[in-house]
Amino acid sequence: MFSRKNPSPDYVELLQHYKNMHEEGYKRNINGQDIYVSSEDSFPGNELPKYATPIKQIIEATNSKSILDYGAGKGKQYEMPIKVGEITYKSIQDYWAVNEIIKYEPALPEHNNLPDKPVDGVISTDVLEHIPLNDISWVVDEMFSLATKFVFVNIACYPALARLPDGRNAHCTIKPPQWWSGFFHFLGHKYPNHKYLLGMIAPTTDPMGNVSNQLIWVSNMALSQKGEM
């Protein structure tokens, strides 16, 4: 069994890749052409605002006041205003009305420390698909153990545009929504007092053969209108 103290060799190797990609940039393959992404624009954290509203709903439903962003990237998502409907908030923290947001990003020295005490909620966007399959169990268990009330996770169930420096696709664990749903349902029994909400993006094909991404929600609590992708 791998763990935080004993991660898989693949996890250690991937972490070093992401450290290099933060410092040096990386390539995205778009329509067969490699496009360079600068170090400044590498993993800024721009996936999070897409899910600000469903996260706010679970924050309010659990009366949470402290949040850990597990895999926050550079954290730029917390430095800019966010518009929700007709209202512009000065920041996501202002929109969520929470007291504290802790950023954790193991590939950046300024954010690579986990909190020394639990928080109300742990959120993670665009992270788990980048974790080796052998390490998924301990990483998700760590998320639950750091939270006292809820876990929110967004997962892409398809290959990434980003390439690792060794040429591999950045999404190293690609599983269908049913797999992730079953995994969280199983693990949830270990944390019966925790709520969780999964937003899984999976490709779907319509009768005409057109492929698009579908956002599938799974939760162990009732939330209304969880928002669009």
Side-chain angles (χ1 to χ4, degrees), residues 14-15 21 31 39 56 65 68-69 78 84 87 92 107 126 132 134 154 159 163 169 193 199 212 225-226 228:
L14 285 173
L15 180 56
M21 292 162 80
N31 297 325
S39 60
K56 180 177 177 64
K65 293 299 180 182
L68 169 66
D69 189 333
Y78 298 110
V84 182
I87 302 175
I92 288 180
D126 192 22
N134 286 332
N154 155 250
R163 296 292 185 269
N169 192 277
N193 296 323
S212 61
Q225 297 182 345
K226 300 186 185 75
E228 299 297 330

Side-chain angles (χ1 to χ4, degrees), residues 16-188:
Q16 186 58 53
H17 280 319
Y18 284 110
K19 289 178 179 179
N20 294 339
M21 292 162 80
H22 271 288
E23 293 178 358
E24 303 170 6
Y26 65 95
K27 292 179 180 179
R28 291 163 60 93
N29 189 277
I30 301 177
N31 297 325
Q33 182 177 2
D34 284 340
I35 306 297
Y36 174 72
V37 178
S38 69
S39 60
E40 182 180 353
D41 293 328
S42 296
F43 313 111
N46 56 8
E47 286 296 308
L48 180 62
K50 300 177 184 178
Y51 305 98
T53 295
I55 293 173
K56 180 177 177 64
Q57 289 186 337
I58 197 168
I59 287 173
E60 291 180 341
T62 56
N63 192 29
S64 295
K65 293 299 180 182
S66 58
I67 303 297
L68 169 66
D69 189 333
Y70 191 109
K74 288 185 170 66
K76 294 183 179 181
Q77 63 272 38
Y78 298 110
E79 302 171 1
M80 59 188 69
I82 180 171
K83 185 174 183 180
V84 182
E86 299 300 319
I87 302 175
T88 299
Y89 297 84
K90 64 180 181 181
S91 67
I92 288 180
Q93 183 170 353
D94 182 48
Y95 173 52
W96 287 343
V98 296
N99 298 330
E100 181 181 30
I101 297 176
I102 300 170
K103 298 183 286 290
Y104 170 66
E105 174 50 64
L108 289 174
E110 61 268 33
H111 297 316
N112 68 356
N113 291 317
L114 289 166
D116 56 7
K117 61 181 180 179
V119 295
D120 291 337
V122 172
I123 63 175
S124 183
T125 56
D126 192 22
V127 171
L128 286 184
E129 58 270 42
H130 296 265
I131 303 294
L133 182 60
N134 286 332
D135 298 271
I136 291 290
S137 291
W138 73 258
V139 169
V140 177
D141 187 78
E142 185 171 72
M143 291 180 185
F144 273 87
S145 68
L146 290 166
T148 60
K149 296 182 178 181
F150 80 86
V151 172
F152 172 92
V153 176
N154 155 250
I155 306 167
C157 304
Y158 53 84
L161 297 176
R163 296 292 185 269
L164 298 174
D166 62 7
R168 285 184 290 169
N169 192 277
H171 289 177
C172 61
T173 297
I174 302 174
K175 295 291 184 180
Q178 297 88 341
W179 188 92
W180 289 109
S181 177
F183 179 84
F184 272 78
H185 178 74
F186 176 79
L187 185 62

